[in-house]
């Protein structure tokens, strides 16, 4: 089994075709969890830049680390005043899911995604959480 499907990593690169469909719908301007090889937007934050400590603006794409840090990322996505679209594991039995996901639009992904161009599907289901901006003209 490769490191891609083990607990040695919490990084799961977004499948490009999957992202393209959402980008067509939302028009993302910032990727807050990226590196130079997998950034989905021209503007992005790397691990070294620490997206959690940066300002988020525009329309944000977020595919956060899937480990224990995910609750911090989902908390920030709920605090900022911009639209954040999150690709997360569908962990409906976790506290972070109930604290930060269920009150927003949830789109469950049919089947399992193939992350980062790998031939094997992920060993978990995924969901897209759409957190709309709270400000003027922001929706909710």
């Amino acid at each position: 089994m490769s490191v891609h499907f083990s607990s040695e990593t919490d990084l799961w690169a977004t499948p490009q075709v999957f992202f393209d469909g959402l980008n067509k719908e939302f028009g993302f301007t910032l990727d807050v969890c990226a590196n130079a090889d997998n950034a989905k937007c021209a503007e992005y934050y790397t691990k070294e830049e620490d997206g959690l400590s940066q300002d988020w603006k525009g329309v944000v794409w977020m595919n956060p680390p899937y480990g224990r840090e995910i609750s911090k990322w989902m908390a920030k996505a709920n605090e900022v005043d911009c639209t954040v679209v999150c690709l997360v594991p569908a962990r409906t039995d976790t506290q972070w899911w109930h604290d930060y996901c269920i009150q927003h639009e949830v789109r469950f992904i049919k089947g399992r995604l193939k992350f980062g161009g790998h031939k094997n599907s992920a060993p978990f289901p995924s969901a897209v959480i759409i957190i709309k901006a709270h400000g003027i003209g922001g929706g909710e």
Side-chain angles (χ1 to χ4, degrees), residues 6-129:
S6 77
S7 60
E8 293 178 33
T9 183
D10 59 359
L11 304 177
W12 298 81
T14 306
Q16 189 63 49
V17 171
F18 180 80
F19 174 82
D20 290 345
L22 289 168
N23 191 38
K24 186 174 182 181
E25 178 180 355
F26 292 98
F28 300 111
T29 58
L30 174 64
D31 183 344
V32 295
C33 299
N35 62 46
D37 295 328
N38 70 14
K40 299 299 179 195
C41 300
E43 186 177 350
Y44 62 93
Y45 298 134
T46 65
K47 185 175 184 176
E48 295 74 29
E49 293 168 320
D50 184 16
L52 284 173
S53 66
Q54 303 291 334
D55 289 331
W56 295 6
K57 59 191 178 311
V59 181
V60 173
W61 170 252
M62 183 178 79
N63 178 1
Y66 286 5
R68 294 180 184 175
E69 285 186 33
I70 197 167
S71 63
K72 294 176 187 175
W73 290 95
M74 294 306 295
K76 173 130 182 171
N78 275 262
E79 294 165 1
V80 297
D81 191 18
C82 59
T83 296
V84 184
V85 179
C86 316
L87 175 60
V88 297
R91 303 282 191 222
T92 61
D93 59 336
T94 62
Q95 188 67 46
W96 65 262
W97 181 272
H98 289 269
D99 289 346
Y100 305 119
C101 298
I102 62 173
Q103 69 271 37
H104 302 290
E105 181 181 345
V106 177
R107 296 180 187 176
F108 290 101
I109 309 300
K110 183 179 180 180
R112 307 259 171 122
L113 290 176
K114 293 182 181 177
F115 287 89
H118 289 269
K119 64 180 181 175
N120 295 322
S121 298
F124 52 82
S126 300
V128 173
I129 311 301

Side-chain angles (χ1 to χ4, degrees), residues 133-139:
H134 304 85
I136 298 170

